Amino acid sequence: FFEQVDQQIAAFQSITSQHPIDGLRWQLIHVFQVTEAQAQTLRGLGVGVDLELERYLDRLERGGGPFFRLLVDSGIDIGVGNDGSNFAPNNPWLMMFYMTTGVSVTGEPNNADQTLSRMEALRLFTSGSASISFDEDRLGTFEVGKYADLAVLSADFRKVTDANLR
């Protein structure tokens, strides 16, 4: 994984040496893992990441999930993808469960040291993804003039148990 990110960073550095890309919101998509140095280099280049959450469905030996905590703490622009793994879109509540507990579908903690708060996870799905897709003027936050999806929940997602979140 890290070698692929290094190759992509080298491509971004080559391009930016002739045509600056900061401010253009270039991004790596389907990101699983990066090092702290890679995250800082991406941030310096103005390159964001779109995290893919299919690792919720994976076994531990596949290397764990995205480095959520490291990336959020790096200050890099982040959106969250939920585009279907292999057969259908993933339920966002399952993905929030994974992002906040690090526990995969197998019940194993394969990403426990990279967890986020529930509000951080929600922000990555909403305003983070809107920014990555250049839609922050229309989507991502509840503001007059913006489009919004509405979900009526049976309980406060910030307070339910992890099992109920899932």
Side-chain angles (χ1 to χ4, degrees), residues 124-135:
L124 294 184
F125 264 107
T126 56
S127 59
S129 291
S131 176
I132 288 287
S133 67
F134 291 89
D135 289 319

Side-chain angles (χ1 to χ4, degrees), residues 132-148:
I132 288 287
S133 67
F134 291 89
D135 289 319
E136 70 274 14
D137 292 337
R138 302 177 318 117
L139 306 170
T141 57
F142 288 116
E143 295 180 57
V144 174
K146 289 188 176 185
Y147 296 107

Side-chain angles (χ1 to χ4, degrees), residues 21-34:
I21 63 173
D22 60 328
L24 298 177
R25 296 194 202 159
W26 284 36
Q27 61 183 296
L28 296 181
I29 61 169
H30 290 237
V31 171
F32 294 114
Q33 297 169 333
V34 297

Side-chain angles (χ1 to χ4, degrees), residues 53-165:
L53 301 176
E54 73 180 43
R55 289 294 173 90
Y56 169 73
L57 302 170
D58 280 352
R59 298 172 312 279
L60 185 58
E61 60 268 13
R62 288 261 324 247
F67 287 4
F68 302 121
R69 175 55 42 212
L70 183 149
L71 287 165
V72 167
D73 290 349
S74 76
I76 198 167
D77 291 333
I78 305 169
V80 175
N82 200 17
D83 71 354
S85 287
N86 297 315
F87 53 90
N90 291 321
N91 178 328
W93 300 110
L94 290 175
M95 300 305 102
M96 290 248 220
F97 168 81
Y98 181 54
M99 294 169 76
T100 59
T101 67
V103 176
S104 73
V105 70
T106 66
E108 298 173 6
N110 75 358
N111 211 30
D113 64 338
Q114 291 294 320
T115 59
L116 303 176
S117 73
R118 290 183 184 185
M119 291 307 294
E120 287 172 318
L122 180 64
R123 276 189 216 96
L124 294 184
F125 264 107
T126 56
S127 59
S129 291
S131 176
I132 288 287
S133 67
F134 291 89
D135 289 319
E136 70 274 14
D137 292 337
R138 302 177 318 117
L139 306 170
T141 57
F142 288 116
E143 295 180 57
V144 174
K146 289 188 176 185
Y147 296 107
D149 291 326
L150 177 66
V152 178
L153 306 176
S154 61
D156 185 338
F157 97 100
R158 297 170 298 173
K159 297 178 182 176
V160 298
T161 65
D162 289 338
N164 285 338
L165 178 63

